[in-house]
Amino acid sequence: MNLSYLWYEAARLMTTPARLVVDVARHGLQNPANPLAYSPYARSLAAACEMFERVTRRYGKPSFGFTSVTIDGTSVPVSERVVWERPFYRVITFDRSFLRGPTAPQPKLLIVAPMSGHYATLLRGTVEAMLPDHQVFVTDWADARMVPIGAGRFDLDSYIDYLIDMFRDLGPELHVMAVCQPAVPVLAAVAVMEAQGYAPVPRSITLMGGPIDTRRSPTAVNCVAQERGTAWFERNCITTVPAGYLGVWRSVYPGFFQLSGFMAMNLDRHVNAHAEMFDHLVTGDGDSAEKHREFYDEYLAVMDLTAEFYLQTVKTVFVDHALPRGSMIHRGARVDLGAIRSCAILAIEGENDDISGVGQTQAALDLTPNLPPQRKAYHLQQAVGHYGVFNGSRYRTIIAPRIAGFIRQMGDSEGGGVAISHRPEPDLSGAPA
């Protein structure tokens, strides 16, 4: 029995008193009424207290926090609204209070957030860049430790079922953006819809840094999964949610495991970033320190994944390479990418991506032979890593406009492929969740 979660909780509880004492000390050292507050010694000690408090804290789920967006030079109020909800996730949209309606209908864009340890708010910059010209929806996945075990299972098949439900309920004329991990289930969901005649099929999907075929330019992440196999991950990475959470007794892949892996990949960078923050605090560089806080408040906030979803994803995507090999199964039927004839595909990759190597996402274009060439597009962004594919300055100035242009082009076109017949739609409400 893997007791990692119990040890983690025990360590967190044992450090709580020290964290509280240190935090009180920090406030005392920074109090303007304290004559020592302006001395180099007090600044250094206060900085050390803050670093200790942040390192030992459990970070809660962040919020998107959008209050306004700038459209044509005008600040427009934004409000958040839940439009779709199931036990393991909900769909959020962002309503913009236009003083005058937009001059033309704006495309509907569903952004499918990664279910890989971080919350959907990691895509705050991704969403913000698309808000001015699109009606944006985003998937907000639930933390598995907060979902009661009575809500049932959630695996890769359930994920695809949910996506099909979403596409139909938010359609027609829906465009989809899949960031990293969801590229595989999104592509599979579209293939299932086109093969079985479900309507409406999304007009386009944009796949960003996704592991469609991890045999191409394999990264360290890909190699570890391939070498160790699914059984190793089941033995060493799966544990049970302890008492104190709604999901008690649920088998999960803990978020702190995933975070440890992320941190270990670039440990020197994170160590240097924290050392720099200490210096900023000591020298009183508040702006730089605040940027560090904002980034790590998001980066260190992690969620648990259900064990069945995690293990099925490892096996299907990284060990068996089932989708590119044509052997991926969904609900007993083979996922046939050759069935995709209508939904346009844009593949986007980063030159320096160390999670999904160059060519892994582009594989989606090669695996859909019956989709007309004019409904396929590819963009390789120079000088960005994995995170830069969907966030940062190059995303805002180059990638986001490229996506918006593709969406407009595919929204204006008539499809160029075989029309999808409108057959009776199956009821997926009873599918395992």
Side-chain angles (χ1 to χ4, degrees):
M1 181 179 180
N2 192 327
L3 300 177
S4 302
Y5 221 131
L6 289 175
W7 286 114
Y8 174 78
E9 286 296 306
R12 187 175 67 88
L13 291 173
M14 284 189 291
T15 58
T16 297
R19 184 169 63 254
L20 295 175
V21 170
V22 165
D23 203 34
V24 170
R26 176 176 67 88
H27 283 88
L29 289 165
Q30 293 177 332
N31 191 325
N34 182 352
L36 300 177
Y38 304 98
S39 68
Y41 176 78
R43 285 178 175 271
S44 298
L45 192 55
C49 288
E50 178 168 348
M51 299 302 294
F52 177 84
E53 190 278 329
R54 292 185 63 82
V55 167
T56 57
R57 180 201 308 176
R58 165 169 273 182
Y59 290 78
K61 180 181 179 181
S63 63
F64 279 99
F66 293 128
T67 57
S68 64
V69 63
T70 301
I71 301 178
D72 295 331
T74 302
S75 180
V76 176
V78 173
S79 59
E80 192 174 303
R81 178 167 55 96
V82 177
V83 297
W84 214 78
E85 192 161 13
R86 295 293 186 274
F88 286 92
Y89 84 110
R90 59 184 186 167
V91 176
I92 297 171
T93 191
F94 303 93
D95 296 321
R96 297 149 301 164
S97 302
F98 290 103
L99 297 178
R100 296 184 301 274
T103 56
Q106 294 196 317
K108 291 183 290 186
L109 174 63
L110 171 65
I111 299 178
V112 184
M115 195 174 185
S116 55
H118 283 105
Y119 292 98
T121 50
L122 188 69
L123 303 187
R124 188 180 291 104
T126 315
V127 173
E128 187 174 21
M130 307 306 292
L131 269 180
D133 302 309
H134 304 81
Q135 176 62 52
V136 178
F137 303 83
V138 63
T139 58
D140 185 26
W141 301 106
D143 187 338
R145 72 171 176 262
M146 302 305 293
V147 181
I149 197 168
R153 291 167 49 86
F154 181 88
D155 57 13
L156 188 56
D157 286 335
S158 307
Y159 195 129
I160 294 172
D161 291 339
Y162 275 14
L163 290 174
I164 292 173
D165 274 351
M166 270 187 276
F167 296 166
R168 295 185 337 195
D169 289 352
L170 296 177
E173 305 301 323
L174 178 69
H175 299 267
V176 179
M177 180 192 299
V179 180
C180 189
Q181 169 270 323
V184 170
V186 163
L187 189 62
V190 169
V192 170
M193 293 183 77
E194 296 224 32
Q196 300 188 21
Y198 301 165
V201 174
R203 294 287 285 178
S204 75
I205 56 174
T206 298
L207 309 177
M208 308 180 69
I212 300 298
D213 187 351
T214 58
R215 297 172 298 179
R216 299 189 179 190
S217 304
T219 63
V221 174
N222 308 148
C223 293
V224 167
Q226 187 69 37
E227 292 167 2
R228 295 182 176 176
T230 311
W232 183 92
F233 288 95
E234 185 170 10
R235 288 193 310 269
N236 295 280
C237 299
I238 302 303
T239 184
T240 303
V241 177
Y245 298 99
L246 292 175
V248 59
W249 301 123
R250 180 180 291 282
S251 293
V252 296
Y253 173 64
F256 59 84
F257 275 7
Q258 184 76 328
L259 180 61
S260 299
F262 284 145
M263 298 286 281
M265 287 181 62
N266 297 286
L267 185 59
D268 56 339
R269 186 183 305 171
H270 294 294
V271 170
N272 290 336
H274 282 75
E276 289 172 1
M277 183 187 181
F278 180 85
D279 291 338
H280 296 322
L281 292 170
V282 172
T283 58
D285 186 352
D287 290 342
S288 297
E290 188 57 31
K291 288 179 181 178
H292 176 101
R293 292 189 192 100
E294 290 175 358
F295 176 81
Y296 279 100
D297 283 355
E298 187 76 56
Y299 190 78
L300 298 176
V302 291
M303 53 181 274
D304 297 350
L305 312 179
T306 63
E308 58 272 17
F309 167 77
Y310 176 74
L311 293 174
Q312 190 179 357
T313 299
V314 169
K315 177 175 173 56
T316 301
V317 178
F318 299 101
V319 177
D320 293 346
H321 313 290
L323 187 63
R325 284 177 169 166
S327 59
M328 183 174 177
I329 303 297
H330 171 258
R331 302 295 179 204
R334 187 175 69 87
V335 176
D336 179 15
L337 296 183
I340 299 179
R341 299 170 181 268
S342 174
C343 178
I345 301 175
L346 167 62
I348 297 178
E349 297 181 323
E351 179 187 25
N352 302 325
D353 195 331
D354 58 354
I355 303 294
S356 298
V358 174
Q360 294 186 10
T361 311
Q362 186 183 24
L365 306 178
D366 301 328
L367 295 168
T368 49
N370 296 320
L371 184 65
Q374 62 268 27
R375 296 191 65 77
K376 298 179 181 181
Y378 175 69
H379 178 79
L380 176 64
Q381 181 58 53
Q382 303 295 321
V384 301
H386 188 71
Y387 189 74
V389 171
F390 59 89
N391 229 320
S393 60
R394 287 185 176 86
Y395 167 76
R396 290 191 300 270
T397 59
I398 302 175
I399 298 176
R402 177 73 174 87
I403 296 170
F406 180 76
I407 288 174
R408 287 195 302 272
Q409 180 185 355
M410 294 303 110
D412 293 339
S413 69
E414 293 299 321
V418 177
I420 301 300
S421 61
H422 198 306
R423 302 177 190 171
E425 298 175 0
D427 180 12
L428 295 179
S429 60

